[in-house]
């Protein structure tokens, strides 16, 4: 009572008042730039709670993680037993992390529109950036769970309990956010910040996913009333995808983007016009450890970590230089399997006999440091268990990555993906001539022959092949197989393989060997992963995904 007449509404001295953040253009700019940290959670194919680069590719058929112990080998534990996924241990858990970012973005949008003195034009750009990142976060949640909670404004946070929205509603909201972003973002922005091209590219990607789920899911795999998308809307989503891709293609035709002439250099050239949205790094403060995680052991005197290596299934997918299929049944090809392959092979895979950093790689059984070892022979072998190493995205000039780490950019979106999205969306709409045009535009830039795609089966087979090869190790394959509802056909009850290369009297033998200790396991339940159980317990209105 003695304080009567005094102001007790004091500003805490250990933090900046929200009004001051938005009143100061410099602090507002810092806040907005900070929301892009969300993309670093997924850089180089990471997944937040798995923690290692390319972990998502190791969930599919193109990469094999070398370790069989928890931590480095968590991915192998997950792919070997579908029962590892449960509401108590989701396996792929982005829920809390994603919703934390969504809340911060909603606070930002509210703050700039109600508490700032910024110009109306600047407010719109900042809101567009916020909604771009919010769409990205919601897209990950949708890919994992389908049906999730939508928080559209700060008003909703006054209530404790919130229901899930339908998967269809979630995808519509993501596309709505991205349309706003595309309408208000600039063509060019600061490095690592959203642009019109990035918004349209993400819109094209999201539309493709929604259309695929509408076409292929058909409520076959989950009876939750909120999961699935009406099949009647598949063409609508594919058209949204194609229309957004066309916007980016128009920008490329105007000189903003282009396919790179040198495939290998795309991932180490910060000036490549193929990059639409990327995460940049700069030594010594902002770095990553991709090279340490994937380079062959002798790159660091035997001390690289070799988290994952390419599978034979991926290696075999690369074509010959003339565009014909590679086959181990072809005697001439089997005798020299790494000769006359397409350019992307040499830019993606390090193989026995490859020249790398001034030496010739020996991945045969005769090399105790970089040569083949059987998966499971040791907990963390830190060498190849398939006869191959990753080449793509490694920096061939970086010889000090143990001490100084790495700085090549992570390209989250690039122009080649846009062409593949356009080809797929048009094929799904029955426009095979246009699908053929964009598949061939990519293939010809990569030094390959043109294809003729006369029907949906041919077009989708070409799209799947090109996405598997072109986008290898970029984090797409596992999610592609899920949206096409093919994961239970290709990732279940199977062992992926490598090549055990051994010398004999006349040369080398290439023995196909299993890179998996047990058959892989992918249950159809995994198309919709459970919400973490503790989140359901905390939220009285939140129901678990049916089946979990």
């Amino acid at each position: 009572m003695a304080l009567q007449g005094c102001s007790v509404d004091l500003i805490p001295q250990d933090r900046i008042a929200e009004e001051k953040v938005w009143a100061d253009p410099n602090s507002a700019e810092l806040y907005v730039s900070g929301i892009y940290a969300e993309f670093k959670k997924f850089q180089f194919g990471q997944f937040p709670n798995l923690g290692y680069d390319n972990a998502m590719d190791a969930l599919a058929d193109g990469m094999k993680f070398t370790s069989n112990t928890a931590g480095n080998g968590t991915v192998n534990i997950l792919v070997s037993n579908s029962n590892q996924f449960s509401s108590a241990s989701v396996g792929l858990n982005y829920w809390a992390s994603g919703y934390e970012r969504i809340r911060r973005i909603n606070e930002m949008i509210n703050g700039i529109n109600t508490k700032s003195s910024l110009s109306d034009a600047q407010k719109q750009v900042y809101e567009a950036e916020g909604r771009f990142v919010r769409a990205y976060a919601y897209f990950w949640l949708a890919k994992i769970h389908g049906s999730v909670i939508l928080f559209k404004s700060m008003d909703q946070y006054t209530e404790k309990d919130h229901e899930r929205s339908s998967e269809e509603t979630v995808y519509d909201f993501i596309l709505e956010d991205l349309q706003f972003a595309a309408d208000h973002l600039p063509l060019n922005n600061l490095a690592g910040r959203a642009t019109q091209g990035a918004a349209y590219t993400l819109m094209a990607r999201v539309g493709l996913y929604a259309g695929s789920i509408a076409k292929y899911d058909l409520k076959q795999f989950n009876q939750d009333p909120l999961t699935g998308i009406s099949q009647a809307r598949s063409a609508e989503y594919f058209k949204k995808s194609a229309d957004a891709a066309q916007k980016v293609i128009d920008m490329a035709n105007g000189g903003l983007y282009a396919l790179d002439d040198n495939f290998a250099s795309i991932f180490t050239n910060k000036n490549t016009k193929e990059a639409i949205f990327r995460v940049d790094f700069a030594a010594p403060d902002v770095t990553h450890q991709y090279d340490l995680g994937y380079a062959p052991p002798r790159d660091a005197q035997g001390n690289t970590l070799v988290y994952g290596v390419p599978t034979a299934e991926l290696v075999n997918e690369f074509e010959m230089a003339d565009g014909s299929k590679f086959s181990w049944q072809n005697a001439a090809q089997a005798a020299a399997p790494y000769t006359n392959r397409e350019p992307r092979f040499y830019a993606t895979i390090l193989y026995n006999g490859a020249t790398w950093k001034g030496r010739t790689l020996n991945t045969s059984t005769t090399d105790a440091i970089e040569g083949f070892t059987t998966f499971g022979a040791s907990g963390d072998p830190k060498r190849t268990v398939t006869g191959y190493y990753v080449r793509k995205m490694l920096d061939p000039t970086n010889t000090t990555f143990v001490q100084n780490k790495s700085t090549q950019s992570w390209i989250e979106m690039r122009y080649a993906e846009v062409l593949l999205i356009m080809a797929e969306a048009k094929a799904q709409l029955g426009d095979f001539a246009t699908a053929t045009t964009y598949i061939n535009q990519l293939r010809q830039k990569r030094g390959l022959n043109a294809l003729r795609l006369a029907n949906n089966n041919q077009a989708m087979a070409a799209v799947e092949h090109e996405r598997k090869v072109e986008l290898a190790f970029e984090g797409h394959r596992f999610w592609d197989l899920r949206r096409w509802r093919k994961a239970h056909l290709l990732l279940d009850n199977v062992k992926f393989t490598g090549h055990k290369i051994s010398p004999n009297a006349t040369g080398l033998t290439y023995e196909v060997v299993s890179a998996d200790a047990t058959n892989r396991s992918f249950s159809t339940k995994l198309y919709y992963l459970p919400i973490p159980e503790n989140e359901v317990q905390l939220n009285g209105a939140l129901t678990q995904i049916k089946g979990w």
Side-chain angles (χ1 to χ4, degrees), residues 167 171 209-217 229 483 485 528:
E167 184 171 11
Y171 272 98
Y209 271 72
S212 299
I213 294 164
K215 178 172 181 176
Y216 295 116
D217 184 72
I229 298 176
R483 69 180 172 89
R485 298 306 191 245
Y528 292 102

Side-chain angles (χ1 to χ4, degrees), residues 25 64 86 102 109 114 182 190 214 231 260 335-336 361 374-375 416 467 472 507 514:
K64 171 66 184 177
S86 70
I102 288 164
I109 293 172
T114 64
L190 298 172
Q231 184 183 15
D260 205 305
L361 285 182
T374 302
F375 175 71
R467 288 185 68 90
S514 174

